[in-house]
Amino acid sequence: MVNIALLGLGTVGTGVVEILNERRNSLKLLTGKDIVIKKILVNNINKKRDVNLREGILTDDFNSIVKDEEIDILIEVTGDLENSYKYITEGINNKKNIVTANKSVVSKYFEEFSQLAAKNNVSFLYESSVAGGIPVIKPLREQIKINDINRIQGILNGTCNYILTRMIEEGKDYGEILKMAQELGYAEADPTDDVEGHDTLRKLRILATLGLQGKITEEDILLYGISNIDKLDIDYIKDMNSTVKLIGEVNLEADKFTAIVQPTIVRRDDYFASVNMAYNSVAFEGNNVGELKFYGAGAGKLPTANAVLTDVLDIIRESNNRENELGHRELINNNKNIIGDYYLRVSYMGEKGLEEIEKLGEEKICKDGSLIILIKETKLKDITNLLNKLKLEKKDYFLARILN
Amino acid sequence: MVNIALLGLGTVGTGVVEILNERRNSLKLLTGKDIVIKKILVNNINKKRDVNLREGILTDDFNSIVKDEEIDILIEVTGDLENSYKYITEGINNKKNIVTANKSVVSKYFEEFSQLAAKNNVSFLYESSVAGGIPVIKPLREQIKINDINRIQGILNGTCNYILTRMIEEGKDYGEILKMAQELGYAEADPTDDVEGHDTLRKLRILATLGLQGKITEEDILLYGISNIDKLDIDYIKDMNSTVKLIGEVNLEADKFTAIVQPTIVRRDDYFASVNMAYNSVAFEGNNVGELKFYGAGAGKLPTANAVLTDVLDIIRESNNRENELGHRELINNNKNIIGDYYLRVSYMGEKGLEEIEKLGEEKICKDGSLIILIKETKLKDITNLLNKLKLEKKDYFLARILN
């Protein structure tokens, strides 16, 4: 028998219970072990839940879980940053294996958790924290053993991808689509974390640190969200026979890396253009395996719970490495030299600034009081320096990379 | 120390030697074990090779390998059907773990090898036999534990995909592109196995049997290759804002499956349209995880050798299950009820047959003495029965599914 404790019974936690209820017998046949959820930590044990639970399984006392020697695995799906740090560290210190879907806490304490788990000879697994149901952490972990990874790219946030897909398909305004996304549950009441790219950034930080085998912090990553995109941009991008995605990307050359999350214009026939709605994708490149791409549901109850359970099965089969798999390469941030082709739209801003911006590129059009300019092979820093110098506020422009 | 024997030193075998030469030290650090190629089986030990080899490593005597008790793992990369069967079965019977890249032999003896390996408590792994460098067998093997798989689709043959991509891009004839593909090493001198779809069929048989957890044989799969496609088809497909791919697909509903390899017309903005040249892709759908798609190099020295080595590392870390993971579901072949939208081009054939074929669909055009007809929601069997009745030879028509 394997005893599990669930920390949190929100969407993902409920999915874990449902799949385990459905698969209990077949998993017993498969693993030779009965997987039992012994306790579930919740804030309110009296709240009504629409999932089948054993009497007395709920508790609001973390101590009763972490001190229970029969419990082997903690599944942390609280989504809560402060408490989850405590749960994970205390859990590891009490020799519990950890599975978490919580990207915020993994991103913030990645090295600490990895070291602590290795020291205590338990597993710390986080497949479901990046790209929901897509199995990508494990393939990446396997490929780094026989490859040098030199690039990772991803559409990592379902909310942004949903909004951008519908804006392109329906030609509607950002605000209008955001509102619909909120009504349908694809965006939070406060969407900042998603639409400003923070969530993508955290996932990129995790992928990059694992894949490049050197520490890449949240602060190492340049960040541009999607909230300032408008219908004018969408119309222009469609006319380019392209679409737009929020892409997180790291590149490595020798020991220098660049890391950025930014709206990215991709041609209609590009792979990333086929990743729509709430789907996610991760692509990475190794020196032996070449380019690999993974596509699947970026969120959702069952896909995320499914990813949680693949980690649980690895722990049960003892098939995962309990060493700290993070590397110690000293990498140098080279973001100041990021260079590329860019799309820039600036809302009307008076004569003087206009002239300086016009110098950035060749193709330009004025439309509805805005200037749209296509910029070739230019340092991103030079563009953003000019925007800062002109004291443009974020709402007054939209800047996107053009992927060639 | 882990001793390996390589059976075969062609493209993939050479790649294995190269990666192990490059990574020997880092793999030693990582696994705690020194991975050594002890012997390499070749036909001619005197042939000159352009890879770094230890003196005396080559042998033409399989017995000296299989009876060597120090050898733990056999990597079978001969590409040869008859001998490889003997090597694998004798290897397993002598308690060697097996890693093979040979899809023909896996497809033919999948159940036998799996049972024999489980009985002998050794591993039988074949990641590199399907879709080259793409890690897809392992994710599929993991997902079947917590999912019912109801669909698998794949672009599984790099030669076909290369030919079709270039025909679409350059608007050239099949024969012309095939000749260039042969000159560039993307197609064999005798391309039958690839262009008639046999290679795709074998890989689909492996994926389907593992994923659907019931035996699906080569004979269970309907097969249509690409050799009868012509420039007329390509022009028409481009006008449909589409492209064409050779796709292998199985679908399962309750206990009834359909399995087919066929040219498939996909819209330009479809995911599969972004899989070009010699790249491959596998997509599958589970009831919990939803749809997953994997993309990468379908062949090539280093990608395939890389996949071979991920299997080797799993054996060394003892992280793979040594049970026979093939299921025993009794599945019923339902190919006779395959239904869909189809594109049919028939070369000029006289009045009578023309009339019957015209009845199949609504949209039709006559061009260069050929009839092109788009057929909606029709049983494939009804179309092929008519083609047979009219005694049309394969060279006289091209039939492709239209994916919606």
Side-chain angles (χ1 to χ4, degrees):
Chain A
M1 192 152 90
V2 178
N3 283 300
I4 288 174
L6 257 185
L7 313 179
L9 189 55
T11 307
V12 180
T14 305
V16 170
V17 174
E18 286 177 11
I19 299 180
L20 280 180
N21 282 347
E22 172 204 334
R23 296 266 158 184
R24 185 165 174 180
N25 291 332
S26 68
L27 285 173
K28 201 169 165 178
L29 274 173
L30 205 68
T31 63
K33 287 173 185 166
D34 197 8
I35 304 173
V36 175
I37 301 180
K38 193 173 179 196
K39 286 176 186 155
I40 303 177
L41 184 71
V42 293
N43 289 323
N44 177 358
I45 60 173
N46 297 313
K47 187 174 150 187
K48 209 167 150 47
R49 324 251 168 194
D50 50 352
V51 60
N52 256 334
L53 296 171
R54 213 177 51 244
E55 190 84 23
I57 198 173
L58 299 179
T59 174
D60 53 11
D61 175 21
F62 176 66
N63 246 338
S64 76
I65 290 175
V66 80
K67 295 300 176 197
D68 185 336
E69 294 194 352
E70 288 181 352
I71 289 174
D72 309 297
I73 302 172
L74 302 188
I75 299 180
E76 193 279 304
V77 284
T78 61
D80 157 338
L81 186 59
E82 201 177 327
N83 286 317
S84 60
Y85 172 76
K86 177 182 119 124
Y87 298 154
I88 291 173
T89 50
E90 287 191 20
I92 295 174
N93 283 324
N94 283 278
K95 312 290 180 198
K96 310 297 185 204
N97 297 287
I98 305 292
V99 174
T100 179
N102 188 330
K103 54 249 175 187
S104 304
V105 81
V106 176
S107 174
K108 196 149 184 198
Y109 304 104
F110 198 15
E111 290 77 12
E112 183 179 340
F113 291 157
S114 300
Q115 284 159 18
L116 196 62
K119 201 181 114 192
N120 282 278
N121 195 29
V122 296
S123 295
F124 163 65
L125 295 177
Y126 46 91
E127 180 64 78
S128 53
S129 73
V130 177
I134 310 177
V136 62
I137 294 294
K138 192 168 176 181
L140 183 57
R141 191 191 289 137
E142 291 178 342
Q143 295 301 334
I144 55 178
K145 292 175 193 160
I146 35 179
N147 283 273
D148 299 325
I149 306 295
N150 49 44
R151 171 186 289 181
I152 305 172
Q153 292 173 300
I155 295 176
L156 298 167
N157 182 273
T159 305
C160 288
N161 208 46
Y162 180 88
I163 291 172
L164 293 174
T165 303
R166 288 200 55 184
M167 285 184 77
I168 286 279
E169 280 180 5
E170 298 164 38
K172 288 194 177 128
D173 249 336
Y174 172 78
E176 201 176 341
I177 299 287
L178 172 61
K179 196 161 161 269
M180 287 194 271
Q182 286 169 322
E183 284 163 9
L184 292 165
Y186 285 105
E188 305 274 349
D190 176 359
T192 312
D193 228 38
D194 293 315
V195 298
E196 299 305 348
H198 301 289
D199 177 76
T200 300
L201 180 143
R202 288 179 201 122
K203 293 165 177 168
L204 186 65
R205 128 84 168 147
I206 297 169
L207 289 171
T209 298
L210 178 65
L212 270 46
Q213 289 286 291
K215 184 173 179 176
I216 293 182
T217 66
E218 294 186 2
E219 292 69 32
D220 275 323
I221 304 172
L222 292 178
L223 177 62
Y224 300 88
I226 65 160
S227 66
N228 52 339
I229 194 168
D230 87 22
K231 194 174 167 314
L232 198 66
D233 305 315
I234 293 289
D235 290 344
Y236 194 88
I237 290 165
K238 281 167 84 168
D239 283 347
M240 292 166 76
N241 197 25
S242 293
T243 184
V244 58
K245 303 287 172 189
L246 185 70
I247 292 184
E249 176 167 346
V250 289
N251 282 284
L252 185 68
E253 262 192 71
D255 287 330
K256 291 182 181 167
F257 73 91
T258 59
I260 186 165
V261 173
Q262 67 192 329
T264 304
I265 295 171
V266 294
R267 282 196 320 271
R268 279 280 181 190
D269 59 0
D270 186 85
Y271 165 80
F272 282 122
S274 73
V275 182
N276 287 313
M277 304 303 273
Y279 282 92
N280 279 195
S281 178
V282 179
F284 63 83
E285 240 179 73
N287 67 322
N288 291 317
V289 74
E291 192 168 24
L292 293 177
K293 295 174 184 166
F294 304 78
Y295 168 105
K301 181 169 73 172
L302 294 178
T304 311
N306 190 83
V308 165
L309 286 170
T310 59
D311 279 347
V312 169
L313 290 182
D314 276 348
I315 293 172
I316 292 176
R317 288 180 43 229
E318 296 179 5
S319 64
N320 60 298
N321 203 333
R322 288 178 162 190
E323 284 167 30
N324 177 3
E325 294 175 307
L326 304 188
H328 300 282
R329 288 189 65 173
E330 290 285 343
L331 302 176
I332 300 155
N333 190 317
N334 195 31
N335 282 346
K336 65 177 187 298
N337 288 316
I338 288 178
I339 197 165
D341 295 346
Y342 295 92
Y343 164 100
L344 175 64
R345 184 258 312 152
V346 181
S347 299
Y348 182 71
M349 42 166 293
E351 284 301 317
K352 181 151 175 287
L354 209 63
E355 211 171 81
E356 287 190 77
I357 285 184
E358 280 186 334
K359 280 188 202 143
L360 285 170
E362 282 170 32
E363 272 190 71
K364 39 196 160 276
I365 61 156
C366 291
K367 210 173 161 182
D368 301 348
S370 291
L371 172 72
I372 289 171
I373 183 158
L374 299 185
I375 305 167
K376 286 261 174 211
E377 280 282 293
T378 299
K379 277 194 179 175
L380 176 60
K381 186 173 57 89
D382 294 341
I383 303 171
T384 54
N385 281 349
L386 177 58
L387 296 172
N388 290 337
K389 191 186 119 188
L390 297 173
K391 297 197 170 62
L392 282 171
E393 286 179 60
K394 212 180 68 182
K395 66 174 177 52
D396 294 327
Y397 68 90
F398 176 70
L399 177 66
R401 181 175 171 219
I402 302 170
L403 199 70
N404 292 310
Chain B
M1 191 151 93
V2 178
N3 283 301
I4 288 173
L6 258 185
L7 313 179
L9 189 55
T11 308
V12 179
T14 305
V16 170
V17 175
E18 285 178 12
I19 299 180
L20 280 179
N21 282 348
E22 172 205 332
R23 297 266 158 183
R24 184 167 176 178
N25 291 331
S26 67
L27 285 173
K28 200 169 167 179
L29 275 173
L30 205 69
T31 62
K33 288 174 183 163
D34 198 9
I35 304 172
V36 175
I37 300 179
K38 194 172 177 195
K39 286 177 187 154
I40 302 177
L41 183 70
V42 293
N43 289 324
N44 177 358
I45 60 173
N46 297 315
K47 186 174 151 188
K48 209 164 150 52
R49 323 252 168 193
D50 50 353
V51 61
N52 256 332
L53 296 172
R54 214 178 48 244
E55 189 85 23
I57 197 173
L58 299 180
T59 175
D60 53 13
D61 174 21
F62 176 65
N63 247 339
S64 76
I65 290 176
V66 80
K67 296 299 176 196
D68 184 336
E69 292 194 354
E70 287 181 353
I71 290 174
D72 309 296
I73 302 172
L74 302 189
I75 299 180
E76 192 279 306
V77 284
T78 60
D80 156 338
L81 185 59
E82 200 178 328
N83 286 316
S84 60
Y85 172 77
K86 176 183 121 126
Y87 298 154
I88 291 174
T89 49
E90 287 192 18
I92 294 174
N93 283 324
N94 284 279
K95 311 292 177 195
K96 310 298 184 200
N97 297 287
I98 305 291
V99 174
T100 179
N102 188 331
K103 53 250 175 187
S104 305
V105 79
V106 176
S107 173
K108 195 145 185 201
Y109 304 104
F110 198 13
E111 290 78 11
E112 180 180 341
F113 291 156
S114 299
Q115 284 159 17
L116 195 62
K119 199 181 117 193
N120 283 279
N121 195 28
V122 296
S123 295
F124 163 65
L125 296 177
Y126 46 89
E127 180 64 78
S128 52
S129 72
V130 177
I134 310 176
V136 63
I137 294 295
K138 192 167 176 182
L140 183 57
R141 192 190 288 137
E142 291 178 343
Q143 296 299 335
I144 54 177
K145 292 176 193 157
I146 36 179
N147 283 274
D148 298 325
I149 306 295
N150 49 43
R151 172 185 290 180
I152 304 172
Q153 293 173 299
I155 295 175
L156 298 167
N157 181 275
T159 303
C160 286
N161 208 45
Y162 180 87
I163 291 172
L164 293 175
T165 303
R166 286 198 60 183
M167 284 184 78
I168 286 279
E169 280 180 5
E170 298 164 37
K172 289 195 176 126
D173 249 338
Y174 172 79
E176 203 176 340
I177 298 288
L178 172 62
K179 196 161 161 267
M180 286 194 271
Q182 285 169 322
E183 283 163 10
L184 293 165
Y186 285 103
E188 306 276 347
D190 176 359
T192 313
D193 227 37
D194 293 315
V195 300
E196 299 304 348
H198 301 288
D199 177 77
T200 299
L201 180 142
R202 288 177 201 124
K203 293 165 178 168
L204 186 65
R205 128 84 168 148
I206 297 170
L207 290 170
T209 298
L210 179 64
L212 271 45
Q213 288 286 291
K215 184 172 179 176
I216 294 183
T217 65
E218 294 186 2
E219 291 69 32
D220 276 323
I221 304 173
L222 292 178
L223 176 62
Y224 300 87
I226 65 160
S227 66
N228 51 338
I229 193 167
D230 88 21
K231 195 175 166 313
L232 198 66
D233 306 314
I234 292 291
D235 290 344
Y236 194 89
I237 290 165
K238 282 168 84 169
D239 283 347
M240 292 167 76
N241 197 26
S242 293
T243 183
V244 59
K245 303 289 174 188
L246 186 70
I247 292 185
E249 176 168 347
V250 289
N251 281 284
L252 184 67
E253 262 190 73
D255 286 331
K256 290 183 181 166
F257 73 91
T258 59
I260 185 165
V261 173
Q262 67 190 330
T264 304
I265 296 172
V266 295
R267 283 197 319 270
R268 279 279 181 191
D269 58 0
D270 186 87
Y271 164 81
F272 282 122
S274 74
V275 182
N276 287 313
M277 303 306 271
Y279 283 92
N280 279 195
S281 178
V282 179
F284 62 84
E285 241 178 72
N287 67 322
N288 291 316
V289 74
E291 191 167 23
L292 293 176
K293 294 173 185 168
F294 304 79
Y295 167 106
K301 180 169 74 171
L302 293 178
T304 311
N306 190 83
V308 164
L309 286 170
T310 59
D311 279 347
V312 169
L313 291 182
D314 276 348
I315 292 172
I316 292 175
R317 288 179 43 230
E318 296 180 5
S319 64
N320 60 298
N321 203 333
R322 288 179 164 191
E323 285 167 28
N324 177 1
E325 294 174 310
L326 304 188
H328 300 282
R329 289 188 66 174
E330 290 285 343
L331 301 176
I332 300 156
N333 190 318
N334 194 32
N335 282 346
K336 66 178 185 298
N337 288 315
I338 288 178
I339 196 165
D341 295 347
Y342 295 92
Y343 164 99
L344 174 65
R345 185 257 313 151
V346 181
S347 297
Y348 183 71
M349 42 168 292
E351 284 303 314
K352 180 150 174 288
L354 210 66
E355 211 170 81
E356 287 188 76
I357 284 183
E358 278 186 337
K359 281 189 200 142
L360 284 169
E362 282 169 32
E363 274 191 69
K364 42 196 157 278
I365 59 157
C366 290
K367 213 175 158 180
D368 300 347
S370 293
L371 172 73
I372 289 171
I373 183 157
L374 299 185
I375 305 167
K376 287 262 174 212
E377 281 282 294
T378 299
K379 276 195 180 174
L380 176 59
K381 184 174 57 93
D382 294 342
I383 303 171
T384 53
N385 280 351
L386 177 58
L387 296 172
N388 289 337
K389 190 185 118 188
L390 297 174
K391 297 197 168 63
L392 282 170
E393 284 179 59
K394 213 180 67 186
K395 67 174 179 47
D396 294 327
Y397 68 90
F398 176 69
L399 177 66
R401 180 175 170 219
I402 302 170
L403 198 71
N404 292 311

